[in-house]
Amino acid sequence: MSKVSEQQKSDFSSEEALLAAAHELKTPLTIISHLVSTLRDDSIGLSQLQQECYLERIELTSERMMRLVEGLTQSYRFEQAGEVLHQLELEPLNLTQICEDVVHELTPLASHLGQNVQLQLPLKNRLVVGHKELLQNIITNLVDNALKHNPKDTDVILTMNSQDQLSRLNVRDNGPMIAAAEFKQLKQRLGKQVQPTAYRAGSSGLGLYIAGQLAKAMGGNLGATAHRQGGMTLYVDLLRSRQLSFL
Amino acid sequence: MKLVLLVEDEPWLAEVYEQHFLAANFTVLRAGDAQEAIEILDAKKPHVIVLDMMLPNGNGVQLLHEMQSYVDLKDIPVIIYSSVANRLPKTLRAYGVTAILDKTTTRPRVLVERAEELLAA
């Protein structure tokens, strides 16, 4: 077991967090409100199948909001209470297993969005040092973010590579291309501040901020790579575990 | 037949609006961003456009600018249906915008009623 030794300070003010959270919750709340009003409107004549689909979307959207609020609470707790970070106990974790769990949880959402999440993870060197709950939250945020920007009928792909002391988990989407100047700014601020970007509408970047904060809390790091043909890979670097893989 | 173009990047919302317009006997065209909207407008001329402002690869204002450059597009009435409606300048009316509705508080049924009123006027 190892312990994180110092509190990570955020560049992100409480006021910004509040504004970003309000902005980020507006769209899902609008979706729920419009789905409910449509379900209650007899003149629309939705089929039984459509009604069930709309109910499922309400459920998925609520879960998405809940994950965001939970991540924000976790991130705020680490930011405010240094002693929690001092006591954060890290352990060897099977990254492949955690990714599989996250993908399993997000598959209904991906399916409703007409997308697929592909896992291309190795069978060996898959142990990292981390905190299970935080790591689940980070990966969930990265995959959820990718699903938000990935076009219909394309895949979000999770891969992993290891070098020296680090293992890198990559989450690749096929979203719109980003201008070089904008990407440079995004990289500098990733995980430190909200990331509202013009090319990715409607997102305050709060989810990525949360993922960045949680990664830092475990001694990890969040980063991004833009692709010439469009889309982006967001990655999290984690410490590799030297423990023999029996997990 | 009344033809409406919905420009909305959130597919679940676009689908809901479509259902409401179909129920009111509109024919519906859908675009997920400004570029796609322009491509549709090259081929078809809707009677009314419902426009979200925060779109990927540009925004609603860029589409409005583009439409003003073409004689056959500049007079198509536009209803802005956006979550940032309260922050939009009134000057947008100079770009063919006939109504600005807050999509967080205005139900899709009201949106359709507004479109029908516009076409009846």
Side-chain angles (χ1 to χ4, degrees):
Chain A
M1 299 281 181
S2 65
K3 290 184 179 181
V4 175
S5 58
E6 64 179 53
Q7 181 181 4
Q8 308 291 327
K9 289 286 181 190
S10 168
D11 299 327
F12 193 36
S13 75
S14 299
E15 191 185 355
E16 280 177 311
L18 186 68
L19 285 172
H23 175 83
E24 200 77 25
L25 292 172
K26 240 179 180 182
T27 299
L29 283 169
T30 304
I31 291 172
I32 291 174
S33 163
H34 288 348
L35 286 169
V36 169
S37 75
T38 306
L39 277 165
R40 294 178 65 176
D41 192 333
D42 291 337
S43 69
I44 302 300
L46 293 175
S47 68
Q48 183 70 27
L49 203 64
Q50 284 173 312
Q51 288 180 30
E52 281 166 20
C53 172
Y54 280 22
L55 285 170
E56 204 171 335
R57 285 178 181 181
I58 290 169
E59 199 175 8
L60 291 168
T61 308
S62 309
E63 286 169 4
R64 210 171 194 176
M65 283 196 298
M66 192 58 79
R67 283 195 295 271
L68 183 75
V69 171
E70 211 168 279
L72 192 60
T73 313
Q74 265 181 341
S75 163
Y76 184 77
R77 211 170 57 223
F78 292 135
E79 204 177 300
Q80 295 299 312
E83 70 277 12
V84 176
L85 270 179
H86 283 292
Q87 291 163 11
L88 185 63
E89 290 197 338
L90 307 179
E91 58 182 332
L93 297 169
N94 181 337
L95 188 58
T96 303
Q97 183 61 55
I98 293 179
C99 287
E100 281 172 359
D101 292 346
V102 169
V103 169
H104 180 73
E105 193 190 335
L106 292 179
T107 294
L109 176 64
S111 167
H112 264 262
L113 292 166
Q115 300 176 39
N116 184 41
V117 185
Q118 262 193 56
L119 280 169
Q120 297 178 358
L121 300 175
L123 294 171
K124 57 178 188 176
N125 294 333
R126 56 193 184 174
L127 287 189
V128 295
V129 178
H131 183 282
K132 191 174 182 188
E133 195 187 337
L134 298 194
L135 190 52
Q136 278 174 332
N137 205 324
I138 292 166
I139 300 169
T140 303
N141 266 302
L142 295 184
V143 177
D144 188 273
N145 174 76
L147 288 172
K148 207 181 282 179
H149 304 295
N150 201 48
K152 199 177 172 186
D153 298 326
T154 61
D155 292 354
V156 169
I157 301 171
L158 274 69
T159 56
M160 178 183 161
N161 50 287
S162 299
Q163 198 172 12
D164 303 326
Q165 304 295 314
L166 295 175
S167 283
R168 175 171 289 185
L169 175 71
N170 306 288
V171 180
R172 165 84 200 260
D173 69 51
N174 300 286
M177 205 170 337
I178 182 167
E182 197 177 347
F183 180 67
K184 193 177 168 190
Q185 191 187 28
L186 184 145
K187 274 189 84 168
Q188 284 166 354
R189 298 174 60 184
L190 198 62
K192 299 181 185 121
Q193 289 177 299
V194 281
Q195 303 293 316
T197 54
Y199 84 111
R200 291 191 155 177
S203 173
S204 69
L206 185 64
L208 294 182
Y209 162 74
I210 291 169
Q213 290 299 101
L214 299 183
K216 274 200 291 183
M218 295 191 310
N221 179 50
L222 192 71
T225 310
H227 301 284
R228 284 181 196 280
Q229 63 274 41
M232 197 190 291
T233 295
L234 285 158
Y235 58 79
V236 57
D237 286 330
L238 301 158
L239 285 173
R240 278 175 72 182
S241 170
R242 295 292 176 191
Q243 186 164 319
L244 285 173
S245 178
F246 57 85
L247 296 172
Chain B
M1 183 63 86
K2 300 168 283 185
L3 187 62
V4 60
L5 170 61
L6 304 176
V7 189
E8 166 64 62
D9 65 315
E10 174 53 62
W12 292 357
L13 285 178
E15 195 181 316
V16 164
Y17 308 159
E18 182 172 13
Q19 291 297 331
H20 283 265
F21 275 103
L22 289 173
N25 295 318
F26 277 78
T27 299
V28 178
L29 303 166
R30 273 169 57 174
D33 60 34
Q35 185 56 44
E36 204 182 334
I38 290 290
E39 284 165 18
I40 290 173
L41 289 169
D42 279 341
K44 296 191 171 169
K45 301 291 169 281
H47 298 104
V48 61
I49 296 174
V50 173
L51 177 63
D52 184 21
M53 292 306 282
M54 293 165 71
L55 298 165
N57 293 322
N59 58 41
V61 175
Q62 284 166 311
L63 177 62
L64 291 170
H65 269 287
E66 184 79 10
M67 285 174 61
Q68 287 302 302
S69 316
Y70 297 93
V71 177
D72 57 337
L73 299 182
K74 69 184 180 69
D75 294 324
I76 298 175
V78 176
I79 300 175
I80 289 179
Y81 194 42
S82 167
S83 59
V84 293
N86 55 357
R87 301 208 302 264
L88 295 174
K90 295 277 185 287
T91 49
L92 281 179
R93 292 188 188 278
Y95 293 96
V97 174
T98 41
I100 299 176
L101 303 177
D102 184 343
K103 78 174 173 189
T104 63
T105 55
T106 310
R107 291 184 178 177
R109 176 189 264 272
V110 177
L111 167 70
V112 175
E113 286 168 2
R114 198 62 189 267
E116 286 178 319
E117 281 167 20
L118 272 177
L119 298 186

